[in-house]
Amino acid sequence: MPTKSLEVRLASRPQGEPTLDNFSFATVDLPDPEPGEVLVRNVCISVDPYMRGRMNEGKSYVPPFQIGQAMEGGAIGKVVVSRNEKLPAGTFVQSIYGWREAYVAPAASLKAVDTSVAPPSAYLGILGVTGLTAWVGLLQIARLKHGETVFVSGGAGAVGSAACQIAKMHGGKVLASASSEPKVAFLRDELKVDYAFNYRDGDPLDHLKKGAPDGIHIYFDNTGGPQLEAALAALRSYGRVALCGGIAGYNTPVPGPRNLMLAIGKRLRLEGFIVSDHVGEMPAFLAEAIPALKSGKLTHRESFVDGLEAAPAALLDLLHSGAANIGKMIVRLPE
Ligand SMILES: NC(=O)c1ccc[n+]([C@@H]2O[C@H](COP(=O)([O-])OP(=O)(O)OC[C@H]3O[C@@H](n4cnc5c(N)ncnc54)[C@H](OP(=O)(O)O)[C@@H]3O)[C@@H](O)[C@H]2O)c1
């Protein structure tokens, strides 16, 4: 039974590009669980672009990380000691306690996950908020209809790869972009998108014209920046944009699209959304995603780094064009 836990803390707030110096490590003593509590050892921890925003001071849709405190976030762990009958030892649980090896928490603050359906890490990716983000963005925000053409930027990432597949499952024709040939091959050969391209190779608009000569109906935006401009130019009249993320501007803000006026003449609808407003729809999403995963219609790709010490570098890398990850970025810890 672990009595100590290593954790990653925010040491200082970055100005622009974060560095490893913005993080620190500390080992804390774990208390014995009280009645109703459990001691959990994490087995996998999520690395997410939104964490960059939480490193900044100031109010956003989630509170900022506190300096000197462990980085909160999604994690899956295994109950090691239980003082709650609903979560016996051996149960895998989901938490938002984030970047730490182990913790003691009230059982009521945790959710058991069914590892007979998929490995624990899938609940941070395709069967977690990642998959839900793609599903909500496409079906509720962009209101995808069968036969429509969808462009997904950041296509080889966690949300993007889920969006590509969900769009295909709902009868969409899919164009998707990523930063390298291996990622483009993943989009083309594994996700079977209709047109995959490297957004750093030529003008993204030329690719969109080639892949969708009649224009696109929907843009699922993970990046903002130049690809949002290209998508605005490629959208058909009454097109929709699901504004999911703007990672091109997370470290250093990028100017808004220079061609936003196109939205007027084309009667476009651009709508931002935050997945945490939609957690009530998780059961409906899972009712579709679990059978699709079991039948092989839906796949999930993950990229792992090992050990909590690797978490800060994994986050810094994720925030760059040309990031190493394909699919969901996960820190794996020994069981
Ligand atoms: N609205 C919501 O509720 C919600 C929920 C979850 C995630 N998100 C957003 O969804 C997006 C994807 O998140 P994720 O968790 O799936 O991460 P991810 O796509 O797995 O990883 C981030 C990817 O962004 C790409 N990237 C980094 N810098 C870029 C740049 N300057 N220009 C273009 N692409 C860049 C990289 O791919 P390449 O190497 O291919 O460039 C990297 O792999 C993020 O913007 C995130 O903030 C929103």
Side-chain angles (χ1 to χ4, degrees), residues 172-232:
K173 173 183 168 180
V174 177
L175 285 70
S177 65
S179 65
S180 66
E181 185 43 43
K183 290 186 180 189
V184 169
F186 164 69
L187 291 168
R188 187 182 55 229
D189 303 336
E190 290 189 41
L191 302 190
K192 313 277 186 218
V193 306
D194 299 278
Y195 184 87
F197 67 94
N198 182 339
Y199 66 87
R200 303 201 290 194
D201 178 12
D203 182 346
L205 181 57
D206 290 339
H207 285 288
L208 296 180
K209 284 181 179 162
K210 195 168 164 202
D214 297 329
I216 59 175
H217 296 89
I218 289 173
Y219 173 42
F220 190 103
D221 187 18
N222 283 313
T223 64
Q227 296 192 81
L228 175 55
E229 276 188 8
L232 287 169

Side-chain angles (χ1 to χ4, degrees), residues 31-316:
D32 290 332
E34 299 284 337
E37 291 186 332
V38 290
L39 190 160
V40 176
R41 191 203 299 268
N42 275 331
V43 295
C44 47
I45 294 177
S46 189
V47 183
D48 295 279
Y50 82 95
M51 295 174 130
R52 172 65 187 86
R54 295 190 73 182
M55 294 172 77
N56 293 336
E57 184 95 62
K59 203 165 172 242
S60 172
Y61 64 93
V62 271
F65 293 128
Q66 297 302 308
I67 291 173
Q69 303 278 310
M71 306 268 290
E72 287 171 9
I76 307 287
K78 195 176 189 177
V79 175
V80 183
V81 178
S82 175
R83 299 201 61 195
N84 178 280
E85 60 189 21
K86 289 194 184 134
L87 295 181
T91 311
F92 283 92
V93 291
Q94 189 160 18
S95 83
I96 49 99
Y97 294 121
W99 290 15
R100 53 185 100 214
E101 284 177 333
Y103 59 88
V104 171
S109 68
L110 307 172
K111 186 169 169 285
V113 298
D114 182 357
T115 51
S116 70
V117 171
S121 55
Y123 290 90
L124 297 178
I126 194 74
L127 296 183
V129 288
T130 297
L132 181 65
T133 303
W135 189 79
V136 164
L138 283 170
L139 303 182
Q140 297 186 8
I141 307 301
R143 299 177 204 160
L144 169 65
K145 292 192 283 294
H146 199 276
E148 289 189 321
T149 300
V150 183
F151 167 43
V152 181
S153 60
V159 171
S161 58
C164 290
Q165 296 181 82
I166 292 168
K168 293 288 296 176
M169 280 163 55
H170 284 261
K173 173 183 168 180
V174 177
L175 285 70
S177 65
S179 65
S180 66
E181 185 43 43
K183 290 186 180 189
V184 169
F186 164 69
L187 291 168
R188 187 182 55 229
D189 303 336
E190 290 189 41
L191 302 190
K192 313 277 186 218
V193 306
D194 299 278
Y195 184 87
F197 67 94
N198 182 339
Y199 66 87
R200 303 201 290 194
D201 178 12
D203 182 346
L205 181 57
D206 290 339
H207 285 288
L208 296 180
K209 284 181 179 162
K210 195 168 164 202
D214 297 329
I216 59 175
H217 296 89
I218 289 173
Y219 173 42
F220 190 103
D221 187 18
N222 283 313
T223 64
Q227 296 192 81
L228 175 55
E229 276 188 8
L232 287 169
L235 275 156
R236 294 162 61 113
S237 292
Y238 299 99
R240 290 91 72 200
V241 180
L243 294 168
C244 176
I247 199 162
Y250 286 178
N251 283 340
T252 311
V254 291
R258 290 166 298 182
N259 56 354
L260 184 62
M261 290 299 170
L262 287 175
I264 301 167
K266 293 191 192 185
R267 291 86 157 167
L268 305 178
R269 182 167 59 78
L270 290 79
E271 185 175 339
F273 69 103
I274 293 296
V275 68
S276 52
D277 295 339
H278 298 269
V279 283
E281 288 141 69
M282 186 61 107
F285 163 63
L286 290 178
E288 180 179 331
I290 289 174
L293 197 63
K294 281 182 173 166
S295 71
K297 261 201 213 167
L298 197 56
T299 63
H300 67 114
R301 176 70 93 89
E302 299 163 326
S303 293
F304 293 102
V305 292
D306 287 301
L308 201 55
E309 294 83 353
L315 175 59
L316 301 191

Side-chain angles (χ1 to χ4, degrees), residues 9-15 17-24 55:
R9 297 175 172 176
L10 181 67
S12 57
R13 300 200 187 279
Q15 303 299 325
E17 182 99 15
T19 68
L20 293 178
D21 291 338
N22 295 125
F23 303 88
S24 64
M55 294 172 77

